[in-house]
Amino acid sequence: MSLAIFESQVVPVRQKLYRFAYHLLGNEEDARDITQDAMVKVWQQKDRMAELQNMEAWCMRIVRNLALDKLKSKKHRRAEELDKAVEIAVTHQDNPHEAAVKQDVMNSVHRIMRALPEKYRTIMQLRDIDGHTYQEIADILELDLSDVKVNLHRARKSVREQLQKLQVYGV
């Protein structure tokens, strides 16, 4: 792989790699380090590029593996809220009350998502926030396509049920 191919295929997904690393680690500095390490690792393995079907999924898998290694080695814990990675900008709201209600709902969704098991949370992040296809998620997480779909369904169902409890019971 040449530098031009690297710049055209790998560099544009750097922000996605960072967001994914941040989601896994919960820390901006660690996410930047992991993203940089992943970019170096991709460059070092440039000879494998020709045989890859999905460059982005391969890069995401490298980020995932590096982040999980970091979590295991340092017994790293999430230091910041997911809200920093997925801030909701409240723009052009006619009514401050509506804006506050929407922000409360989004805060509840983020809190519920943080309480999900890691597999559900990761799949939901990749699909609903980062916009990856089911196949890309399967490639990134090294799961069967059916497992991705089932786990995403279960994650969404859990979030939906928790939100309904909040609306009905206020708990």
Side-chain angles (χ1 to χ4, degrees), residues 61-142:
R61 187 176 313 138
I62 289 172
V63 167
R64 175 182 174 260
N65 291 340
L66 289 171
L68 292 177
D69 288 346
K70 185 167 193 72
L71 288 170
K72 288 176 188 174
S73 70
K74 289 189 170 188
K75 296 182 181 177
H76 182 273
R77 297 290 173 228
R78 293 179 71 107
E80 299 174 26
E81 304 252 358
L82 177 64
D83 297 346
K84 284 190 177 181
V86 226
E87 290 179 3
I88 304 299
V90 181
T91 58
H92 305 326
Q93 296 291 334
D94 297 336
N95 182 343
H97 175 71
E98 288 176 18
V101 169
K102 285 181 183 180
Q103 189 62 43
D104 286 345
V105 169
M106 288 312 298
N107 289 340
S108 297
V109 169
H110 292 301
R111 189 180 73 253
I112 291 168
M113 281 180 66
R114 283 190 303 274
L116 290 173
E118 180 62 31
K119 181 189 275 187
Y120 289 178
R121 188 171 55 239
T122 301
I123 291 173
M124 225 172 148
Q125 167 79 27
L126 289 170
R127 177 68 181 157
D128 295 336
I129 296 172
D130 293 341
H132 288 281
T133 66
Y134 294 114
Q135 187 59 54
E136 289 172 336
I137 296 169
D139 292 343
I140 292 166
L141 300 178
E142 299 175 326

Side-chain angles (χ1 to χ4, degrees), residues 9-47:
Q9 292 184 3
V10 178
V11 173
V13 298
R14 186 176 59 224
Q15 281 301 90
K16 279 187 179 181
L17 299 177
Y18 169 78
R19 283 193 311 268
F20 186 49
Y22 182 85
H23 165 72
L24 292 171
L25 299 169
N27 180 296
E28 290 179 20
E29 186 174 319
D30 289 341
R32 280 194 300 270
D33 290 345
I34 292 296
T35 304
Q36 183 176 359
D37 292 347
M39 299 294 278
V40 169
K41 192 167 187 171
V42 168
W43 178 253
Q44 290 172 342
Q45 296 182 15
K46 61 187 173 205
D47 298 334

